[in-house]
Every structure is written in C-alpha cells, then in structure tokens.
C-alpha cells in the first residue's frame, strides 16, 4: 500500500472517531443536601442572634420580695446635760483639795481649804520632805480602785485616756497625802484656823464633786443649740492643777442630781422611726454597758434632736461632756428590698371630689368631657391615694383632660397638680407595673417597707432590681 493511501485511511478513521466523541452526553452535577446540616445551621444562627441581643440589651434582674430586718445600731457622740453648779472661792490663797474627785459629798462635807499665809502649805511640804507622813490602808485601796478602773476600761484605740489617768492618779495621791498631813498637824493647824489664815470650806449642798469645768454647765434641754455639738471647739479646764486661787474664781463643780440627759441630733428617717416610741435601749461604748432610757424629741432650726433621760450611770460619766453611745433597739422588720429597686415617678393628682362609681363596680372612676361635648366614664388605674387626691399616670389620662365633678358643673383639668411617689416595678405578670411603697427605715443598701398597703407590694412579689433601667409596661423576659 502506498503511503498516501495509508494516510488517507487513517484520516478517515480519525474523523469517525471524532464523530463518535461528539455523541457523548454530559449530565448535570448532583448536589446532595443533609437535613441534619440544615438544622445545625439554623440553630447556630438562632444562638448567635440571641447572644448578640443579650450582649447589647439591658440585662434586667428580678428580685423576690421577702421578710427581713435592718439593724442600724447608730452611733453618736451624745451631749451630756446635768444639774451642775460651779462653786467659787470666797477668798484668795493657796488651795488644798480635801474631797475626792467624782466622790459624793454631803452638805457638811469638807471639800477644800484656803491658806492665805502659806504657813500650812509650807509645813505640809516640809513634812513630805522629811517623810513623816504616810498613807494608810484605806488610802492605798482608793488608789488601787483608780488603777483597776483604768485597766478594766483600757483600749488601744483610746490611748489618749492614759494621760488623763496619769493626771487623775497624781491628783488623787496628792489629795490623800494632803488630808493625811493636815490630820497630823494638830495645834499648828488649830492656831491657823483661829487666826483666820487657814479656812476649810464645806459643800453648800449634797452632790458629786468634779474638779473640772468646760463652760457647758448652764446648758439645758431648752437652751442648747447646734453649736453645742461642735467638739472641735470644746475645751475643759482641770481645776485641781491650780495651786492658788483668787477670790471669785471657780474651785470645783457640784453635780446635784442623779438624773441627767443625753442629746443627739438625728435625721428625719430616724425621727419618723422613733417618734412613737417611749423607751430606747442604748450602749455606752466606753465600757460596753447597756441601759434603757426614756426618750422625747425637740426640734430646733429645722433639725430633730433625740433627748434620752437617765437616772443611772451619771457618776461613771461625770467627767465626759460628750458620751459615745450606740442605739441598739431600732431593729426594724418588714418587707426588705434593695435600694437599687426604688424609683421615683411623677403622677397626675386628681381631687377625690371628682370620683364617681359606675358600671356596677365599686372601683373609683371619673367622668371625662370629650372634645365632642360627650361625657365618657373611665376607670383608670389608681397608683396611690391620700386624704385629698388620687394619683394617676399618663397611660390612662393625658394632660389637659377635663373631669366633671359629680352633681356639679365644676371642671378639673388634668395636670393642674403633679405629685411624685416612691415605688418599685412589679413584674409578676411579665411586664413592669409601678407599685407605690412606704419606707419605714433605710440604710445604704436596703430599705424596710410597710406591709399591707393598698397599692403596694406583698411578700414573694417579683420586682426589678435595677429600677432606673426600665419604664412602665416594659416586657421583662
């Protein structure tokens, strides 16, 4: 076969092959869907959506109302007011104290002596240098009592009282020593008394001796002022440190009654809480002693003052003008709610004279005058009432609405009177509803509210914890 014939033959076969290839049919590619993947995808989208809305929305927490109490245990530096009388020197001279500080004396008890010549005082000093005078067992017992009292009341936080104790112990020892020395002087003392150079003075009336003054002796529950409580201006003078006196100068103070008063300024909330009480239990923080007092109140310059009357413990605090106390019996119980739940809301006040009852119901309603001239009976939600007004919000009525007074042509325009109420948002029905509350007592975190109020909340109600983050009718999930 010639080469040309072979090539022609192969060419024909190639054309036939191409014709066969052109007859191949291509089928579309098949896609297989899994129902499981579809469900998972939908769930992922759902979860991402709710995560996004949770992160971007206000997260409202619901609080369940429960019975509880608040123990305030308020502490005060109370002003001590007593029946105090300052005794002044009848003459000038060197002074020797004979009675014990904070000791009780009778009307004939010897309290101090004046040496106008200085001879008796010189004799006592010489006797001390010669060690001829000593204290007896009773004198040492008195000194031991002073030390024991200090040790029993010692507190590191009140270390400053150590200096007061030191001064008191020295004065007590000097006074005991002086009395012992005078008793041993004999004839020389009698000669000085007879010559008029040495005089012993007795108490003008029974009472408790105090050798310090502070200028508050004339204060009473009637004439004290707010400035009387300013401890930064308070000063006290120890009279027992003076060695000589001038005629007419103070020598000691006499407390003439066991009855005394403690006074402290209180806020309006505590006044409202205690104003119906007669007795109050307090604790003296100086020595942790508790006692009951009768209480009264007074108001000065718009401030309330608590007056506690006592007939015990006066001698233990005779040297304290300000007594640190704690009120311990104002443990108030009721419905306990967080302060963060409490909100204030404005309401329209509608006079009670405009209330009518209709539609066979005992609920309060009103007759509203429409623009068309027709009168329509409405029964809106009442959030609170006092002696003169009902409180309505703007969901039921609008500013400018006109209410008709029953059996009268008088018209009241809504919005004339506005009142504010404290309350919480109740969410028992799944949406926020304002409920008025009456606060009995409050501290920095919680409030105790009155139970059984007509428009308030009850135990186990659910309220919004973040009251300022919601509004009326907000849906709570």
């Amino acid at each position: 076969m010639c080469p040309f014939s072979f090539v022609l033959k192969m060419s024909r076969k190639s054309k036939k092959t191409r014709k066969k290839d052109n007859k191949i049919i291509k089928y579309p590619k098949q896609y297989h869907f899994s129902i499981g993947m579809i469900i998972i995808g939908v769930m992922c989208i759902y979860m991402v959506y709710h995560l996004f809305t949770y992160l971007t929305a206000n997260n409202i927490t619901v609080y369940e109302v429960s019975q509880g109490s608040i123990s305030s245990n308020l502490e005060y530096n109370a002003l001590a007011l007593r029946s105090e009388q300052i005794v002044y020197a009848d003459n000038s001279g060197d002074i020797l104290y004979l009675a014990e500080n904070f000791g009780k004396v009778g009307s004939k008890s010897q309290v101090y002596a004046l040496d106008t010549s200085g001879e008796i005082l010189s004799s006592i000093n010489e006797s001390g240098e010669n060690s001829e005078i000593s204290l007896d067992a009773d004198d040492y017992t008195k000194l031991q009592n002073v030390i024991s009292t200090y040790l029993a009341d010692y507190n590191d936080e009140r270390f400053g009282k150590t200096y007061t104790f030191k001064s008191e112990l020295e004065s007590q020892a000097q006074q005991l020593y002086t009395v012992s020395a005078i008793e041993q002087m004999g004839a020389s003392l009698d000669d000085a008394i007879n010559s008029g150079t040495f005089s012993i003075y007795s108490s003008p009336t029974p009472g408790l001796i105090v050798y310090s003054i502070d200028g508050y002796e004339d204060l009473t529950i009637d004439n004290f002022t707010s400035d009387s409580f300013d401890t930064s201006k308070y000063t006290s003078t120890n009279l027992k440190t003076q060695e000589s006196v001038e005629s007419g100068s103070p020598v000691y103070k006499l407390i003439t009654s066991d009855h005394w008063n403690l006074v402290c300024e209180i806020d309006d909330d505590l006044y409202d809480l205690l104003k119906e009480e007669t007795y109050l239990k307090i604790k003296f923080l100086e020595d942790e002693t508790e006692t009951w007092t009768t209480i009264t109140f007074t108001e000065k310059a718009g401030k309330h003052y608590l007056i506690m009357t006592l007939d015990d413990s006066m001698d233990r605090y005779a040297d304290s003008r300000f007594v640190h106390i704690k009120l311990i019996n104002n443990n108030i119980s009721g419905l306990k709610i967080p302060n963060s739940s409490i909100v204030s809301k404005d309401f329209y006040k509608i006079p009670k004279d405009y209330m009518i009852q209709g539609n066979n119901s005992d609920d309060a309603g009103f007759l509203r005058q429409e623009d068309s001239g027709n009168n329509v009976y409405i029964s809106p939600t009442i959030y609170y009432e006092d002696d003169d007004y009902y409180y309505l919000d703007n969901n039921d009525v609008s500013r400018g609405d006109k209410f008709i007074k029953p059996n009268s042509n008088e018209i009241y325009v809504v919005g004339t009177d506005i009142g504010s109420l404290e309350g919480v948002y109740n969410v028992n029905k799944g949406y926020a509803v304002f409920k008025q509350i009456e606060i009995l007592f409050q501290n920095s975190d919680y409030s105790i509210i009155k139970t059984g109020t007509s428009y308030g909340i009850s135990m186990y109600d659910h309220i919004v914890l973040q009251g300022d983050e919601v509004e009326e009718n907000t849906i709570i999930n």
Side-chain angles (χ1 to χ4, degrees):
M1 181 180 296
C2 67
F4 178 77
S5 300
F6 177 77
V7 173
L8 181 60
K9 185 177 181 179
M10 292 301 296
S11 175
R12 289 174 179 172
K13 288 182 177 180
S14 177
K15 290 180 179 180
K16 291 179 179 180
T17 302
R18 286 197 299 270
K19 289 180 179 179
K20 290 180 180 180
D21 292 341
N22 290 336
K23 294 180 180 180
I24 296 174
I25 300 173
K26 295 182 178 180
Y27 291 95
K29 188 175 181 179
Q30 299 292 325
Y31 293 95
H32 299 282
F33 293 96
S34 171
I35 188 66
M37 294 298 295
I38 295 175
I39 294 175
I40 292 175
V42 172
M43 292 178 62
C44 288
I45 295 173
Y46 178 83
M47 292 174 64
V48 169
Y49 169 76
H50 279 277
L51 179 62
F52 175 78
T53 55
Y54 176 81
L55 294 176
T56 57
N58 291 331
N59 297 317
I60 303 301
T61 304
V62 175
Y63 176 86
E64 184 178 82
V65 179
S66 61
Q67 191 82 8
S69 62
I70 295 178
S71 182
S72 61
N73 291 333
L74 299 174
E75 296 183 11
Y76 293 92
N77 277 321
L79 176 66
L81 302 179
R82 314 174 184 90
S83 298
E84 300 173 337
Q85 174 184 342
I86 297 178
V87 178
Y88 299 91
D90 290 338
N91 203 350
S92 301
D94 297 330
I95 187 169
L96 300 115
Y97 287 103
L98 308 178
E100 298 177 27
N101 198 13
F102 311 124
K104 291 186 176 182
V105 296
S107 58
K108 296 183 179 180
S109 299
Q110 296 178 347
V111 180
Y112 73 101
L114 286 179
D115 183 8
T116 58
S117 65
E119 295 179 359
I120 299 298
L121 184 59
S122 298
S123 299
I124 292 175
N125 292 334
E126 291 175 2
S127 299
E129 294 175 358
N130 297 328
S131 301
E132 295 179 357
I133 299 176
S134 61
L135 303 180
D136 58 23
D138 290 338
D139 295 333
Y140 284 113
T141 300
K142 293 177 181 178
L143 293 177
Q144 284 181 327
N145 289 336
V146 174
I147 298 172
S148 298
T149 300
Y150 167 75
L151 292 176
D153 296 338
Y154 177 77
N155 189 318
D156 290 338
E157 296 179 357
R158 300 191 296 268
F159 184 75
K161 281 193 168 290
T162 301
Y163 299 100
T164 303
F165 161 71
K166 176 178 178 293
S167 176
E168 177 60 28
L169 185 61
E170 290 176 345
S171 297
Q172 182 75 1
Q174 181 62 41
Q175 181 263 324
L176 292 174
Y177 177 80
T178 299
V179 173
S180 179
I182 290 176
E183 290 176 349
Q184 298 181 32
M185 295 191 68
S188 59
L189 178 64
D190 293 336
D191 293 340
I193 293 175
N194 293 331
S195 63
T197 59
F198 189 84
S199 302
I200 299 177
Y201 297 89
S202 300
S203 173
T205 184
L208 186 78
I209 295 292
V210 179
Y211 291 122
S212 63
I213 57 173
D214 55 14
Y216 285 56
E217 285 77 16
D218 293 330
L219 278 184
T220 67
I221 59 176
D222 296 320
N223 62 16
F224 73 85
T225 66
S226 59
D227 291 339
S228 305
F229 296 85
D230 189 354
T231 56
S232 64
K233 299 179 180 179
Y234 178 77
T235 57
S236 178
T237 302
N238 186 356
L239 299 175
K240 211 169 184 181
T241 59
Q242 56 187 352
E243 296 180 354
S244 60
V245 296
E246 297 292 331
S247 178
S249 60
V251 289
Y252 67 93
K253 179 169 63 182
L254 200 60
I255 300 177
T256 58
S257 175
D258 290 331
H259 298 281
W260 60 306
N261 296 291
L262 291 173
V263 183
C264 56
E265 180 185 337
I266 59 175
D267 57 29
D268 293 340
D269 290 336
L270 186 56
Y271 170 74
D272 291 337
L273 179 66
L274 298 177
K275 62 183 179 181
E276 303 298 332
E277 301 294 330
T278 305
Y279 300 96
L280 180 67
K281 192 176 185 181
I282 66 172
K283 176 186 287 187
F284 293 100
L285 296 181
E286 188 77 18
D287 55 12
E288 300 297 314
T289 302
E290 297 181 2
T291 188
W292 284 91
T293 73
T294 57
I295 61 174
T296 55
F297 301 90
T298 187
E299 183 177 353
K300 296 187 178 185
K303 297 180 180 179
H304 294 292
Y305 294 92
L306 170 65
I307 302 174
M308 295 158 280
T309 302
L310 304 94
D311 55 10
D312 62 0
S313 307
M314 187 275 296
D315 54 338
R316 291 190 292 120
Y317 303 101
D319 62 335
S320 300
R321 182 59 64 185
F322 295 94
V323 182
H324 196 190
I325 63 170
K326 178 186 287 187
L327 312 185
I328 62 175
N329 79 327
N330 54 331
N331 190 2
I332 304 305
S333 61
L335 297 181
K336 185 177 181 179
I337 63 172
N339 290 340
S340 60
S341 297
I342 301 174
V343 295
S344 181
K345 183 178 177 180
D346 289 336
F347 290 86
Y348 296 125
K349 296 169 62 175
I350 311 299
K352 285 189 169 183
D353 294 343
Y354 286 78
M355 187 273 290
I356 61 174
Q357 292 176 335
N359 294 340
N360 298 320
S361 173
D362 292 333
D363 295 336
F366 302 92
L367 197 61
R368 183 171 62 191
Q369 186 181 78
E370 302 294 319
D371 293 337
S372 62
N374 296 326
N375 299 330
V376 178
Y377 173 81
I378 62 171
S379 182
T381 300
I382 296 176
Y383 289 86
Y384 180 67
E385 65 177 284
D386 55 26
D387 294 337
D388 301 313
Y389 294 96
Y390 291 109
Y391 288 70
L392 312 181
D393 76 347
N394 55 11
N395 289 324
D396 297 310
V397 297
S398 301
R399 182 186 292 271
D401 284 353
K402 298 177 180 179
F403 287 172
I404 302 174
K405 188 175 183 179
N407 303 319
S408 172
N409 293 324
E410 294 183 33
I411 299 294
Y412 179 82
V413 179
V414 175
T416 304
D417 298 292
I418 302 293
S420 181
L421 297 176
E422 284 188 313
V424 297
Y425 284 110
N426 184 301
V427 294
N428 289 349
K429 298 180 180 180
Y431 56 92
V433 178
F434 182 89
K435 294 290 185 179
Q436 181 266 347
I437 61 173
E438 294 183 32
I439 299 176
L440 296 177
F441 194 73
Q442 189 175 58
N443 63 15
S444 58
D445 299 314
Y446 290 93
S447 294
I448 296 298
I449 65 174
K450 189 176 181 180
T451 60
T453 55
S454 300
Y455 302 97
I457 57 176
S458 303
M459 190 182 301
Y460 307 125
D461 278 351
H462 292 84
I463 63 175
V464 175
L465 183 63
Q466 307 97 333
D468 57 350
E469 295 184 10
V470 301
E471 296 179 352
E472 189 84 11
N473 297 321
T474 300
I475 302 298
I476 305 297
N477 295 321

